[in-house]
Amino acid sequence: MRYAIYFAPPLNDPLTRVATNWLGRNAFTDETVEAPAITGLNDAEIAFHTAAPRRYGFHGTLKAPFRLAADTSETELVAALTAFAATVREFQIPQMTIERIGSFFALIPTEPVADLNDLAGRAVRDFDRFRAPLSEAEIERRAPQNLTPAQLANLQRWGYPYVFDEFRFHMTLTGPVGASDAARVEQALHAFFDPVLSEPVEVRNFALFTEAERGAPFQVHSLFPLTASEQRRSA
């Protein structure tokens, strides 16, 4: 079993509904969703390009997947997440946009969001006591030879290369897309997502996702509402 701390909008959020249709799977229910009709891409192409993110479900990473440390339990993790959520106030991502990151497409904020970066940094630090050390195989899967020195140091210390100064919040929409298909896929993504990207994304909760065994689909275990008030946060 692995656990991950992600941002995921609630089940009935318009962005969740659109992303679920695009990815072809609902991470809340683990149900398969019929592929959307999109001009320029057929069903097989959509299924191919969304295969990797479909398994993880629609999310933005705060703390990457980890196995529980031997001296901790799921019950303790859930209790700690509940207490943590009470120290974080709700905030907005003012605007999201579609961008190609390396070879894949994702939703990203148009401008840095300090509250979001702070939430991710706190999640990495505060819940590291629940993370079992990486195995050699897990380290190799991160292709350490391709990481920068800072990213490699993060991997060794925090179990994930892209934290703190290396963190870039994103909500993955595709796997790797070849150059010959990139323009068509990007056009399809804009046609599908742009109608729900005109409004800010409300960050009112974060989520605990679970992976029953390596390679299994990630599912939403629990949502944790952010309940801190401005007064409490500044205290």
Side-chain angles (χ1 to χ4, degrees), residues 2-10 25 27-28 52-66 77 81 84 116 119-120 123-124 127 142 160 167 169-172 203-211 216-226:
R2 288 198 301 168
Y3 299 83
I5 303 170
Y6 290 155
F7 167 65
R25 176 177 166 266
F28 286 84
R54 185 183 311 120
R55 183 171 82 84
Y56 286 87
F58 183 56
H59 75 279
T61 298
L62 301 175
K63 186 170 181 64
F66 58 93
L77 175 61
L81 287 165
F84 177 82
L116 183 57
L119 175 60
V124 169
F127 294 95
R142 288 292 177 189
Y160 190 58
F167 174 72
F169 181 81
H170 62 278
M171 306 185 81
T172 305
V203 181
R204 296 188 173 127
N205 61 259
F206 59 80
L208 178 66
F209 278 52
T210 58
E211 179 195 40
F218 277 79
Q219 291 185 250
V220 176
H221 176 287
S222 306
L223 293 184
F224 298 87
L226 308 180

Side-chain angles (χ1 to χ4, degrees), residues 63 80 84 87 120-130 158:
K63 186 170 181 64
F84 177 82
T87 71
R122 289 184 61 197
V124 169
R125 288 191 182 92
D126 288 16
F127 294 95
D128 205 56
R129 64 189 178 92
F130 289 96
W158 302 104

Side-chain angles (χ1 to χ4, degrees), residues 132-153:
L134 294 179
S135 67
E136 289 299 324
E138 287 170 328
I139 292 173
E140 285 305 310
R141 275 193 284 271
R142 288 292 177 189
Q145 68 278 7
N146 297 329
L147 299 176
T148 67
Q151 291 164 356
L152 182 58

